[in-house]
Amino acid sequence: MQGKKNEKEVPGKEVDIKSYKSGAEEKPYMEDLRKISPDQRKNMLSSGVDPSQRGRSGTYIQMDHSVVHSKSLYPGLEVMSITEARKKHKWVDNYFWKILSVDADEFTKQAELQPHQGYFLRAEPGVKAIYPLQACLFINENNIIQNVHNIIIVEEGADVQIITGCATASDVKRGLHIGVSEFFVKKGAKLTFTMIHDWAEDVSVRPRTAALVEEGGTFLSNYICLKPVKNLQMYPKAELVGRGAMARYNSILFAHPGAHLDVGSRVILKSEDSRAEIISRVISGGGDIIARGHLKGEARRIKAHLECRGLMMREEGLIHAIPELEGSIKDIDLSHEAAVGKIAKDEIEYLMARGLSQSEAQVAIVRGFLDTTIMGLPSELQKVVDDAISACEQEAF
Amino acid sequence: MLRIENLTVSVSGKEVLTDINLEIKKGERLAVLGPNGSGKTSLLMAVMGFSGYKITRGNIIFKGKQINGLSIDERARLGMGIILQRPPTIRGIRLRQIVDIIKHNDFDTDKEAEGFNLKGFLDRDVNLGFSGGEIKRSELFQLLASSPELSFFDEPESGVDLENIILVGKVMNQILNKNKDNAALIITHTGYIFKYVKADKGCVLLDGKILCFGDPERILEEVTKYGYEGCVTCRGKKMKRKSRVKK
Ligand SMILES: Nc1ncnc2c1ncn2[C@@H]1O[C@H](COP(=O)(O)OP(=O)(O)OP(=O)(O)O)[C@@H](O)[C@H]1O
Ligand SMILES: [Mg+2]
């Protein structure tokens, strides 16, 4: 893990798929989510998934390889396992591997060869749900591999929020999660997708994600990974294929000692007047972070901005920001801003002059640095994130 | 309230203050005048305890206690407060958050902000994109919220338009009048602020040294007439005599 930099950049290099158990015990379906154990509930809650379903439009919960709950509570929203969806709608197959390539790497191949479910979430045309849908991918057994394939479709003019929490049971130490996700945001639709990762120290994670956004569609993707994880590599991509489409990726990451996070976001602006924003705030508390970003402008009057700020809290660890801009036509506006440093002393001292102790000042600055207000999270989710941030602060100082 | 004895300070190895002696009594307001680069800001920063302002000699005594070794926040909690000439921008921290932490119970943040023309600034990142005058108002607003016993005002009126100077003066008085013992050190170039906030005595700082003490308005008059060069030749003789008589 502590190898040379260029070695690290080979995605998935350190994961030996064969070293994980491919089978897992079958978990029974739970109509009544009150049957979820207190430990599982606690871990789900800290990834933003609330088994009580308060303020939710529907819930999908998968434990290991079993779908333990899937139900929509709102007309016009579909929530089911991917297997069920393929049975119900013949056309779902058309969305499979539509914007991701099955032979992209060993992980996409693995997801196809040995699928363990995944969720299908869909908002019918024009449906606007106030409360978010939630989906949980939970690892309950130690040392297993979990391969899921998710399809998310927001039909024309619909507007939906989705919270996805990935978590493990408290006694899970090691595991591998491969998550293939394909998002389709149709004409004039809007999707706000928030994913919270709450893995364990020795879990490796390989999400493989792409989104297709049509004319006037909006795709807002928030990613939060503040808890320990061994090794995470992902580089989700959104393609804006309709006029005026828009995508925004917000990520906040914290690398604990020994962690290796290689996380980026990429937007290909293929249509006139499309817009994109990639914003990341990353903190190394001793671990390594490679923060990537790539904006590619291929159409007139597009506008996109990439912003990456990194904070080094310790002598150990690494932050490597790699922003890329690519324009192949004039009349485009691409920009980026990147900064990596420690907490500025003059900022700490400014707050100290107001009477805050040094550690209070540091906590306030870190909290400000990980500002999540732009994510537009529902208030109880905001609380989950704030708690995760507080836990990091304990770790950081 | 504050006594500074033989204070010598260096910044990045360069001596910026030499053998400073001054005293601010309870309820007293001292104005410090001096040209650009003479060490005025350095004096405040050193007394407040900012790193980078290294005390190589001398003592700072606040409320009878030697505070040379105290951290900035300890000094703030003892009752010192400052408005900075060039405060940093802190992303993600709103002005309101700072005020909420430092304010006294009876301070109504929204209401006070209204009176400061700062209402719209409460929920902005502190100092991010604030104009010169807005920074001053925000700094004063924070000082008012914490209401220190000894206030350091670093050029409170610079960059502030004529209308807002009245406001600045009003707030400074509000801070100082909260308690009759409240004291201040005011740095000014123009002295405009004297129209609203009376200083009891003044001194000239030149090249890191205090040249003279005296009546602040008198000093300002002399400086306007003869420049700070005049101070060098005068060597504070007249002024010193005068201030001695006063004492
Ligand atoms: N960090 C620093 N590194 C090097 N020199 C410094 C530093 N800070 C201050 N100085 C120098 O110390 C001297 C005094 O600066 P100071 O800011 O105290 O002056 P001032 O009297 O407040 O000036 P002004 O009226 O322009 O605000 C100046 O020559 C300045 O360049
Ligand atoms: Mg100055």
Side-chain angles (χ1 to χ4, degrees):
Chain A
M1 269 220 49
Q2 302 296 332
K4 283 185 220 85
K5 203 178 289 166
N6 52 358
E7 274 174 34
K8 279 179 192 165
E9 287 176 20
V10 181
K13 183 176 173 289
E14 308 92 349
V15 176
D16 178 8
I17 293 177
K18 288 189 188 63
S19 69
Y20 299 89
K21 276 196 299 187
S22 60
E25 191 190 314
E26 186 75 19
K27 313 290 178 305
Y29 190 86
M30 276 184 242
E31 194 57 49
D32 184 356
L33 287 176
R34 280 175 299 189
K35 287 190 189 131
I36 284 179
S37 79
D39 178 70
Q40 290 167 338
R41 178 186 310 275
K42 185 188 97 208
N43 288 302
M44 283 180 192
L45 279 171
S46 65
S47 73
V49 172
D50 186 348
S52 80
Q53 303 196 76
R54 220 170 290 127
R56 298 289 190 263
S57 288
T59 302
Y60 174 89
I61 296 177
Q62 175 169 345
M63 280 191 194
D64 300 333
H65 305 160
S66 313
V67 180
V68 300
H69 190 89
S70 82
K71 195 171 208 168
S72 166
L73 300 170
Y74 194 88
L77 296 183
E78 289 188 274
V79 176
M80 61 190 87
S81 74
I82 198 74
T83 341
E84 202 185 331
R86 290 177 101 165
K87 259 185 248 156
K88 187 173 173 195
H89 305 296
K90 276 274 167 308
W91 47 260
V92 169
D93 284 347
N94 301 336
Y95 288 90
F96 247 73
W97 300 113
K98 185 171 176 177
I99 46 176
L100 282 167
S101 161
V102 64
D103 52 13
D105 60 29
E106 56 178 319
F107 303 104
T108 49
K109 277 180 210 152
Q110 180 68 22
E112 176 64 8
L113 291 175
Q114 204 177 67
H116 304 132
Q117 298 290 353
Y119 54 76
F120 175 81
L121 305 175
R122 175 171 172 258
E124 288 173 4
V127 169
K128 295 188 197 308
I130 303 159
Y131 295 121
L133 289 173
Q134 59 180 0
C136 181
L137 298 166
F138 197 84
I139 297 185
N140 201 53
E141 249 179 74
N142 196 34
N143 222 12
I144 63 159
I145 181 170
Q146 184 185 53
N147 307 320
V148 299
H149 194 138
N150 310 308
I151 304 267
I152 299 94
I153 303 171
V154 187
E155 301 283 3
E156 277 191 32
D159 184 344
V160 68
Q161 278 203 51
I162 296 172
I163 298 167
T164 296
C166 295
T168 55
S170 297
D171 53 359
V172 166
K173 300 277 175 289
R174 185 171 184 273
L176 170 62
H177 170 88
I178 298 175
V180 172
S181 303
E182 298 183 87
F183 292 84
F184 301 89
V185 179
K186 304 280 180 78
K187 199 169 159 182
K190 181 178 175 189
L191 170 60
T192 306
F193 182 83
T194 301
M195 181 156 80
I196 301 180
H197 274 178
D198 184 1
W199 302 107
E201 246 158 78
D202 203 13
V203 173
S204 293
V205 185
R206 291 293 181 272
R208 294 293 178 259
T209 307
L212 196 69
V213 187
E214 295 182 3
E215 187 180 329
T218 302
F219 175 52
L220 305 178
S221 175
N222 300 315
Y223 178 58
I224 295 155
C225 182
L226 300 169
K227 300 286 182 62
V229 57
K230 182 185 178 199
N231 165 342
L232 162 71
Q233 188 273 328
M234 64 189 231
Y235 208 162
K237 172 185 76 173
E239 289 190 31
L240 308 183
V241 295
R243 188 180 197 130
M246 135 56 152
R248 188 172 73 207
Y249 284 99
N250 296 311
S251 326
I252 61 173
L253 309 173
F254 186 99
H256 294 259
H260 178 72
L261 315 182
D262 183 338
V263 175
S265 308
R266 173 178 281 142
V267 182
I268 322 281
L269 298 99
K270 293 186 160 177
S271 284
E272 293 187 357
D273 302 304
S274 54
R275 284 167 300 136
E277 233 180 338
I278 297 173
I279 298 169
S280 53
R281 299 279 183 271
V282 308
I283 298 183
S284 166
D288 296 351
I289 300 177
I290 300 174
R292 298 174 198 269
H294 182 194
L295 292 169
K296 194 169 177 195
E298 300 179 348
R300 254 165 252 294
R301 296 187 308 274
I302 60 108
K303 189 174 165 62
H305 183 66
L306 197 166
E307 186 184 306
C308 174
R309 291 178 188 278
L311 206 54
M312 293 291 300
M313 301 294 302
R314 300 249 176 111
E315 288 305 324
E316 312 81 58
L318 166 125
I319 295 175
H320 185 175
I322 311 176
E324 287 182 71
L325 304 180
E326 210 180 321
S328 53
I329 173 173
K330 70 171 197 178
D331 196 12
I332 55 171
D333 179 354
L334 299 175
S335 57
H336 86 74
E337 221 183 314
V340 177
K342 58 174 184 183
I343 300 182
K345 198 169 202 172
D346 62 338
E347 295 178 16
I348 296 175
E349 294 192 338
Y350 181 61
L351 295 179
M352 287 173 76
R354 300 285 179 251
L356 277 74
S357 71
Q358 180 165 349
S359 65
E360 284 167 344
Q362 283 174 326
V363 165
I365 292 167
V366 168
R367 191 162 290 203
F369 177 82
L370 293 178
D371 189 9
T372 51
T373 49
I374 48 164
M375 291 187 172
L377 305 175
S379 61
E380 81 293 347
L381 193 59
Q382 184 69 55
K383 204 190 156 298
V384 169
V385 175
D386 288 343
D387 289 348
I389 290 174
S390 305
C392 277
E393 282 157 0
Q394 313 269 320
E395 171 88 21
F397 300 111
Chain B
M1 179 170 291
L2 178 75
R3 206 166 72 242
I4 293 174
E5 299 171 346
N6 309 103
L7 187 72
T8 299
V9 171
S10 57
V11 177
S12 342
K14 177 188 152 199
E15 194 166 295
V16 292
L17 293 170
T18 310
D19 212 15
I20 303 289
N21 286 285
L22 64 81
E23 184 172 6
I24 301 174
K25 300 210 175 74
K26 277 184 187 168
E28 202 170 46
R29 299 147 186 202
L30 170 69
V32 176
L33 299 109
N36 294 139
S38 57
K40 304 181 298 297
T41 296
S42 303
L43 176 61
L44 295 194
M45 300 299 264
V47 174
M48 199 68 212
F50 280 81
S51 65
Y53 297 84
K54 198 163 170 277
I55 296 173
T56 53
R57 206 147 32 85
N59 286 315
I60 305 168
I61 294 144
F62 181 57
K63 297 204 278 195
K65 187 176 167 191
Q66 207 243 37
I67 58 161
N68 287 30
L70 295 192
S71 63
I72 306 174
D73 57 313
E74 286 169 322
R75 297 180 203 211
R77 281 195 292 265
L78 271 182
M80 290 181 168
I82 188 168
I83 67 159
L84 293 187
Q85 191 177 9
R86 270 191 304 271
T89 293
I90 313 182
R91 278 173 189 274
I93 297 195
R94 326 248 182 266
L95 176 58
R96 181 192 296 281
Q97 281 169 267
I98 299 181
V99 172
D100 282 347
I101 297 171
I102 64 179
K103 74 183 179 117
H104 288 248
N105 290 337
D106 56 348
F107 189 83
D108 182 339
T109 309
D110 284 281
K111 200 176 128 234
E112 297 286 351
E114 190 98 54
F116 262 74
N117 300 334
L118 274 177
K119 191 96 206 231
F121 293 82
L122 281 176
D123 295 304
R124 273 173 60 175
D125 289 359
V126 70
N127 301 325
L128 181 64
F130 287 21
S131 77
E134 288 159 0
I135 284 182
K136 292 286 180 233
R137 295 211 302 276
S138 147
E139 290 288 292
L140 283 164
F141 184 58
Q142 294 176 51
L143 208 61
L144 181 67
S146 62
S147 82
E149 289 167 66
L150 175 60
S151 299
F152 298 128
F153 297 102
D154 199 347
E155 302 192 18
E157 83 273 51
S158 83
V160 178
D161 66 38
L162 289 171
E163 252 168 77
N164 277 303
I165 284 194
I166 301 173
L167 184 64
V168 164
K170 204 179 99 191
V171 179
M172 287 173 66
N173 281 320
Q174 218 176 318
I175 294 167
L176 296 173
N177 295 339
K178 256 196 180 159
N179 188 316
K180 70 171 179 28
D181 286 346
N182 282 357
L185 192 159
I186 305 164
I187 293 176
T188 177
H189 279 291
T190 61
Y192 291 149
I193 199 65
F194 295 154
K195 210 170 140 192
Y196 309 98
V197 182
K198 292 289 166 229
D200 301 298
K201 58 180 183 182
C203 68
V204 172
L205 193 64
L206 197 65
D207 254 345
K209 298 183 193 76
I210 290 182
L211 286 191
C212 67
F213 284 94
D215 174 61
E217 314 226 11
R218 254 310 288 294
I219 296 178
L220 203 63
E221 227 171 84
E222 302 275 320
V223 169
T224 318
K225 246 189 263 171
Y226 309 109
Y228 286 107
E229 288 312 302
C231 293
V232 180
T233 46
C234 151
R235 289 184 194 284
K237 279 175 209 151
K238 268 187 290 180
M239 296 291 188
K240 226 171 202 164
R241 251 199 325 273
K242 224 186 143 204
S243 71
R244 273 208 196 108
V245 173
K246 221 179 161 186
K247 268 184 186 170

